[in-house]
Amino acid sequence: MSRVDLYIFRQLGISLVAVTLGLAALVWLTQSLRFIELVLDRGLSMLVFIQLTSLLLPNFFSVILPITTFVVALFTYVRLASDRELVVMRGTGMSDWRLARPAIAAATLSAVLCMFLQLWLVPISHTAFREWQFEIRNQLAAILLQEGVFSNIGNDLTVYARSRDQEGILRGLLIHDGRDAGAPVTILAEAGRITTTPQGPRVTLYNGIRQQIERTAPPPGSPPGTPQGYRLGSLTFAENSLDLSRQRANEEDRRRDSRERFIGELLNPDPAENLPPRDVTKFRAEAHQRLSNPLTALSFAMVGLAAALGGAFRRHGGGATIAIGVISVVTLLAIGLAIGNLAARDNLWIPLIWLHAIGPGVIAGWVISGAPGWPRPMPAPPESATDAASGLPA
């Protein structure tokens, strides 16, 4: 690189790192508010909170890097134009492509980083996040229980406690256990205490009643096809114990979501998983989105360069240039979301994912080249030539 390239590249690099880290920190703070209650009300350590939420950062970086690359490219070149530096560089004979070379290099580095995140780090970090979240939900059920709130431990176990005293004893317990779909259980108890065991949390209940819906066989002599009946069974107890862990069911039945899978698993799911066709279609679209996402970093940077370098010089700043660039990328982001939703429903829309990732960069490169083939109005003749043609003295 020449000294001019290094000068521009240094500004782009410093701005890109600062803007990306700042925006990632802002997104991390907003998303981590979902877990702050575990620290304030349930005694989860701050170190565990930071470790848990930091696992979300790779996914944040992969999403915001194309956007921050565009922002940095656009504003850096608009500032160079406002300071007349681009005018001086063009005066030395440098073309627009020559001026754009540092930004293209920075955008290429962003694309490589996005590729590394999307193909390797995001699946690993998201898997670790889901496993930790599973552990908190199942092994730390005592932390998740709140006074006066129906707390859901999974999708089929609900616990309500009227109050909790200083010794950790729960008062006024109601538990609905639907893990056995054929025989749901409802338990009312005066008090209970949650203990942690190697197999998961258990609650010991005192002075309560256990109610269970049981199926009964059809009465003798009923015609064929008579459905089974149901009856309510009740059992009072002085002490009872209930397992709150859903570890065994989750390990067997839980399916990993799309962000936990690598590209090969998304494109060719294991037939043994017996995934529904809707999930297979969604996974295939997710794979193409993750493969094409790094190219959007380069395309968005090209859009910013086209807006900053393709317009005419303006003496009073580049507000219109910035507005054109921002509106263009916001529109592209909205179109990208719509295409992603369409492709997740029907894989026939997948080619549009790649067109959305590559097309804006190609069009922006055409604009930077001077839009060859685009009709332009003929320039007006000089005033002196007009006077000579009319026969009037200059």
Side-chain angles (χ1 to χ4, degrees):
M1 284 189 177
S2 66
R3 296 181 64 180
V4 173
D5 292 339
L6 289 175
Y7 169 72
I8 300 176
F9 184 81
R10 189 185 308 113
Q11 297 185 55
L12 290 168
I14 295 174
S15 300
L16 182 60
V17 172
V19 173
T20 302
L21 291 178
L23 187 56
L26 178 61
V27 175
W28 176 77
L29 286 175
T30 57
Q31 294 297 314
S32 62
L33 292 177
R34 297 180 298 168
F35 306 96
I36 195 66
E37 185 181 0
L38 298 177
V39 177
L40 299 179
D41 298 337
R42 300 298 167 218
L44 199 68
S45 68
M46 182 61 68
L47 179 61
V48 173
F49 167 76
I50 294 176
Q51 291 175 340
L52 176 65
T53 54
S54 63
L55 293 174
L56 300 172
L57 287 176
N59 187 54
F60 296 159
F61 279 117
S62 66
V63 172
I64 67 177
L65 256 177
I67 300 174
T68 56
T69 303
F70 156 76
V71 171
V72 168
L74 176 63
F75 281 84
T76 298
Y77 279 82
V78 168
R79 187 189 61 79
L80 290 174
S82 300
D83 294 343
R84 310 298 192 271
E85 295 181 66
L86 287 185
V87 175
V88 175
M89 294 177 188
R90 280 175 171 143
T92 61
M94 299 177 67
S95 65
D96 286 345
W97 278 109
R98 180 70 173 75
L99 294 172
R101 192 164 65 181
I104 295 175
T108 302
L109 292 177
S110 296
V112 171
L113 181 56
C114 280
M115 183 71 71
F116 168 74
L117 292 171
Q118 292 283 11
L119 300 187
W120 186 75
L121 192 55
V122 168
I124 291 177
S125 63
H126 192 69
T127 299
F129 172 79
R130 290 288 301 275
E131 290 177 351
W132 208 334
Q133 191 179 42
F134 164 80
E135 180 181 352
I136 291 176
R137 180 180 298 170
N138 295 277
Q139 302 300 329
L140 303 179
I143 293 178
L144 299 178
L145 294 182
Q146 304 180 37
E147 300 177 11
V149 175
F150 287 90
S151 302
N152 294 321
I153 304 175
N155 297 324
D156 44 22
L157 184 62
T158 303
V159 181
Y160 173 86
R162 185 180 65 246
S163 62
R164 184 202 302 259
D165 61 22
Q166 296 180 350
E167 298 179 356
I169 297 178
L170 302 172
R171 305 287 181 180
L173 278 166
L174 184 150
I175 301 176
H176 179 75
D177 185 359
R179 289 175 289 187
D180 186 354
V185 177
T186 300
I187 301 175
L188 301 172
E190 293 182 3
R193 181 189 293 274
I194 294 180
T195 57
T196 302
T197 67
Q199 292 75 32
R202 297 187 66 88
V203 57
T204 303
L205 305 168
Y206 305 98
N207 301 328
I209 181 171
R210 174 189 175 98
Q211 299 177 335
Q212 183 173 3
I213 301 294
E214 300 175 347
R215 292 184 178 182
T216 59
S222 300
T226 302
Q228 293 179 330
Y230 296 89
R231 67 182 180 86
L232 177 64
S234 298
L235 174 68
T236 59
F237 60 85
E239 182 176 335
N240 193 9
S241 180
L242 180 67
D243 181 14
L244 296 181
S245 174
R246 301 182 70 253
Q247 182 174 4
R248 293 185 298 274
N250 273 303
E251 287 179 348
E252 295 176 358
D253 300 334
R254 187 182 75 86
R255 288 172 177 165
R256 295 178 299 157
D257 64 18
S258 58
R259 283 183 292 177
E260 293 180 79
R261 299 171 183 260
F262 292 95
I263 296 297
E265 297 176 280
L266 292 173
L267 293 175
N268 300 295
D270 187 356
E273 294 186 75
N274 294 321
L275 295 174
R278 182 181 62 182
D279 288 351
V280 175
T281 303
K282 178 181 177 182
F283 287 173
R284 190 173 290 114
E286 172 72 14
H288 285 272
Q289 282 188 304
R290 283 164 58 177
L291 287 171
S292 63
N293 180 69
L295 297 178
T296 60
L298 191 56
S299 285
F300 285 2
M302 293 291 292
V303 171
L305 289 172
L309 299 176
F313 171 74
R314 291 177 175 82
R315 183 174 301 176
H316 301 291
T321 299
I322 294 175
I324 292 173
V326 171
I327 292 173
S328 299
V329 169
V330 169
T331 303
L332 288 173
L333 289 173
I335 294 174
L337 291 175
I339 292 175
N341 291 331
L342 291 174
R345 298 176 183 176
D346 188 347
N347 288 159
L348 292 176
W349 297 97
I350 284 179
L352 290 182
I353 295 178
W354 291 96
L355 180 62
H356 172 264
I358 300 174
V362 174
I363 296 175
W366 174 70
V367 173
I368 295 174
S369 299
W374 188 262
R376 292 179 176 82
M378 295 295 295
E383 183 180 355
S384 58
T386 304
D387 293 341
S390 60
L392 300 176

